[in-house]
Amino acid sequence: MVSVTRIPVLAGNWKMFKTLPETVAYLQEFKILVQYAEGCEIVIAAPFPALAAAADTVRGSRIRIAAQSLHWETEGAFTGEVSAAMLASAGCSDVIIGHSERRQLFGETDETVNRRLLAALAAGLRPIVCVGETLDQREANETKDVLLSQIDGAFASLTSDSASPIIVAYEPVWAIGTGRTATPEIAEEAHRILRGRIREILGAVTADNVRILYGGSVKPANIQSLMSKPEIDGALVGGASLDPVSMAAIIHYQS
Ligand code: 13P
């Protein structure tokens, strides 16, 4: 068996928080706090209006800037939408796709997740694809089926070549913003299911290399136990990413 080293990814998802000046002030402080952090990738997903300034502020550092969604068309009469090329030209390298808030509040489906994923890849953006079950689904023992169908839907028509940059985030809906973190064991089990399916669809090399992040009430106090599981390759952090000191503490989880 070949052992694989997956570089951890620690990503903050700010959701609909922070104006442009707040973004710049945060990143000026944050880039100093994490300047010596090694052995991991750092991503901050800021709101659309702050992306270009965010990218400017972190230029020359290792911090990557992500958007929180995109539209699948390249351009056109789609009022309120933003294309992959627009994000790339603003300095984004990554984009979150299919967050449960988009699925629950804005009608995102596995099919639209797939379309956005293909558009991101075509423009050279690295997708962070979110999946995860609701509390009802977990209590009805449907977690495995839900995760498998979300992966099948998101990855439809992908090839292993095109899939290589993709990051997956397992975010159980019941753990988001609730303070109720999944135990490392629950997260690990879900990650195993996801990686197993990716292996079936895209082969062992892609499955072994894809980073699967955990998201849902990640904090400085619980990151270490989550990261102790070999299946957990990083975290997608909501609330605790809004404060630069707390996000930096998550990034320095090993020290
Ligand atoms: P919280 O960390 O606030 O639970 O949010 C998780 C999340 O949704 C990240 O995308």
Side-chain angles (χ1 to χ4, degrees):
M1 218 181 103
V2 186
S3 80
V4 200
T5 311
R6 294 185 290 265
I7 297 170
V9 177
L10 297 160
N13 173 15
W14 286 356
K15 310 188 181 189
M16 200 173 76
F17 289 95
K18 297 199 190 292
T19 61
L20 194 154
E22 287 166 352
T23 298
V24 171
Y26 176 112
L27 290 171
Q28 279 168 342
E29 180 179 353
F30 181 65
K31 74 179 176 185
I32 293 166
L33 291 171
V34 299
Q35 65 186 325
Y36 301 118
E38 280 176 0
C40 67
E41 292 180 18
I42 304 168
V43 183
I44 294 290
F48 287 138
L51 288 173
D56 272 351
T57 309
V58 301
R59 186 158 298 128
S61 78
R62 295 170 43 245
I63 304 165
R64 300 169 66 105
I65 299 298
Q68 299 173 15
S69 188
L70 80 169
H71 195 263
W72 53 85
E73 294 291 346
T74 52
E75 60 185 5
F78 303 105
T79 301
E81 294 294 335
V82 173
S83 75
M86 292 171 189
L87 296 177
S89 74
C92 285
S93 54
D94 296 30
V95 58
I96 296 174
I97 297 174
H99 192 279
S100 62
E101 286 148 19
R102 300 229 47 96
R103 293 177 190 258
Q104 292 195 317
L105 305 173
F106 302 102
E108 188 88 78
T109 63
D110 289 336
E111 195 205 329
T112 58
V113 169
N114 175 249
R115 294 173 88 168
R116 291 181 219 273
L117 177 66
L118 296 174
L121 290 170
L125 292 173
R126 181 170 74 173
I128 302 174
V129 181
C130 301
V131 296
E133 79 287 359
T134 63
L135 186 58
D136 285 353
Q137 289 165 335
R138 173 158 287 270
E139 286 176 346
N141 270 331
E142 292 168 3
T143 298
K144 185 171 180 189
D145 289 344
V146 169
L147 295 181
L148 295 182
S149 73
Q150 287 178 337
I151 284 291
D152 289 351
F155 284 16
S157 82
L158 265 190
T159 59
S160 44
D161 289 349
S162 58
S164 65
I166 295 175
I167 292 172
V168 172
Y170 168 60
E171 298 208 314
V173 177
W174 47 270
I176 295 179
T178 57
R180 191 178 158 193
T181 322
T183 62
E185 291 69 30
I186 288 179
E188 189 182 36
E189 166 70 12
H191 286 213
R192 243 191 226 116
I193 291 168
L194 294 166
R195 201 179 304 283
R197 186 57 137 213
I198 295 168
R199 184 168 287 117
E200 285 169 11
I201 310 175
L202 295 167
V205 175
T206 303
D208 287 343
N209 285 298
V210 72
R211 267 84 56 90
I212 306 183
L213 318 184
Y214 166 76
S217 298
V218 174
K219 308 266 179 281
N222 58 28
I223 182 71
Q224 214 167 3
S225 61
L226 289 160
M227 292 304 288
S228 71
K229 298 291 181 192
E231 273 298 324
I232 301 181
D233 305 316
L236 184 54
V237 186
S241 75
L242 293 172
D243 171 38
V245 173
S246 129
M247 188 60 190
I250 289 172
I251 287 162
H252 291 116
Y253 70 91
Q254 279 169 312
S255 44

